Every structure is written in C-alpha cells, then in structure tokens.
Amino acid sequence: MIRTTLGLIALFAMIAAACVAFGAYFSYVTLQNAHRSAIEARFSITAERIATTAQFAASLGIALPAQTTLSELVAREARLDPAVDSIDVLDDRGTVLFSSASARVGAPAGPLPHAVGRRIENDLAAAIGRVVVRYDPASMDAGARALADDLRTIAIPTLIGAALATIAIGILLAADLKRAARRAAEPEKWPPAARTALAAAQSVHASVTRGGAPDPAATTETARS
C-alpha cells in the first residue's frame, strides 16, 4: 500500500512538472514569434519610408532608375540601424538599382532568407520595383537567447516548486487516508450512529449463526440503544 501510494505521488509530481515544462516551451515559441514579428515590423517601417519616397518621385514623372537620390537615402537608412545588413532598391525584374552596399548595384537580388520588402507602385497601383531590407539574423538569435534565459530562470524554479508541492499534498492526503483507515479499523472510535448500526448487524449475524431467525424486537431494541 505504501509503495503504491509513493508511486502515485511520484507520478503526479512528474505530471505537474511536465505541465510546467510544456507551458514554458509553448510560451517560449509564442514569445519568439512575437519578437521576430516586432523586429521585422521595425525593418518594414524602413522599407515603407523608402518606398513612399520612390512612389512620390514616380508620381512626378521620374522613372525609378533615374531616382539617383535613392542611393544616398538607402545608405543613410542603413546606417541608422546596426542590425541592417543592406537596403536594396530593385526594379520590376529584380535587378538592384540602388543599394547601401555599392557592390550589389547591377546584380540580381538573389535569395532573401533574412529580409523584409515593400512594393514600389506607380499611380495605377502597378509594381515598378521593390525595396528590400536585409537584416543580420544574429539580432534574432540574440533576442531568442535572451528569451530562453529569462524563461529558464522562471520555469526551472516553478517546475521544481510544482513537483515539491504535488509531493507535499500527496503525502498529506496519504496521511489523512491512513488515519481514516486506522479509525475505520477501531469501532470504538466510530460515530454513535455507525456503532449502533454495527451492533444491530452483529446481533442479526449472531442469530443467524445460531440457526434461528433474528428477533425483530431484539434487533429494534439494539438499534434503539
């Protein structure tokens, strides 16, 4: 009985710890996605500013390749945020027209694994180019590590506390059950109604054992006493 009780307490403690661990993991994933969205939203604002400038110039009749002032603009915007690797302005074929990294001018955009973009449109809402902000993935990794460290600092003590609290509650419940079982084995500690019922049952059992029918009057008198 003791072994079974201890096994159940250990099982419930592991379940409580597992619940805390899963909760911490899902919180980490949620916060990491929120952190990524926040950083990409910051870069999207930069792309939006440059695209708005290019669209305004296009509305005045200046073709996108002729907007040479964009070269200085993208360089200035890239210097404002150290997490930005480069800012490119592409034409509608994906060729880099202007870039904060001058070596990229004239080259195709290529793959964009860590970048956010914004379309450049003319007055008819047709795409005439695109602004692409490439960022350093290390900025994402640093935020993810910080989140992991914070959650680990909170989750590990919580996990240990949940397991210990479950064990303590299990031991208290087991002690109460043990005391109740001990009281149940000692009829003199039963409530009066329970003792009366036991006496009546014993009287009936004794009458049956002697081979005679139980005396209703005696049974009633015993129950009344």
Side-chain angles (χ1 to χ4, degrees):
M1 181 64 180
I2 295 177
R3 183 179 301 175
T4 301
T5 302
L6 292 177
L8 289 174
I9 292 174
L11 176 63
F12 290 138
M14 288 189 291
I15 292 174
C19 289
V20 174
F22 279 119
Y25 172 75
F26 290 127
S27 297
Y28 169 73
V29 172
T30 301
L31 291 174
Q32 187 181 32
N33 291 335
H35 176 259
R36 177 182 296 275
S37 298
I39 289 182
E40 291 188 346
R42 187 180 75 197
F43 298 141
S44 295
I45 293 173
T46 300
E48 178 73 23
R49 284 199 302 265
I50 298 172
T52 300
T53 301
Q55 289 176 167
F56 178 75
S59 69
L60 297 177
I62 305 174
L64 185 60
Q67 298 180 27
T68 56
T69 56
L70 289 177
S71 180
E72 181 181 350
L73 175 61
V74 296
R76 184 172 65 251
E77 290 287 348
R79 289 193 298 268
L80 293 177
D81 193 335
V84 173
D85 276 344
S86 67
I87 302 176
D88 301 336
V89 177
L90 316 177
D91 62 13
D92 55 353
R93 295 187 300 274
T95 302
V96 178
L97 297 176
F98 310 102
S99 176
S100 60
S102 57
R104 295 178 53 78
V105 176
L112 305 172
H114 304 290
V116 297
R118 169 69 165 81
R119 284 186 7 143
I120 302 174
E121 300 176 349
N122 60 18
D123 292 340
L124 301 177
I128 59 174
R130 187 172 183 83
V131 178
V132 176
V133 179
R134 297 171 181 265
Y135 58 86
D136 184 3
S139 60
M140 297 286 190
D141 297 338
R145 286 194 298 271
L147 287 174
D149 291 341
D150 291 342
L151 282 175
R152 193 180 298 113
T153 302
I154 297 172
I156 291 178
T158 304
L159 186 150
I160 295 174
L164 293 177
T166 304
I167 292 173
I169 293 173
I171 291 174
L172 291 176
L173 291 176
D176 287 341
L177 289 174
K178 186 176 181 180
R179 286 193 294 270
R182 187 181 297 114
R183 287 195 301 268
E186 300 175 359
E188 64 274 7
K189 295 183 179 180
W190 291 6
R195 291 199 302 270
T196 300
L198 176 63
Q202 288 175 339
S203 175
V204 172
H205 181 266
S207 299
V208 173
T209 302
R210 288 195 301 268
D215 186 359
T219 302
T220 303
E221 184 65 27
T222 303
R224 290 176 178 175
S225 62

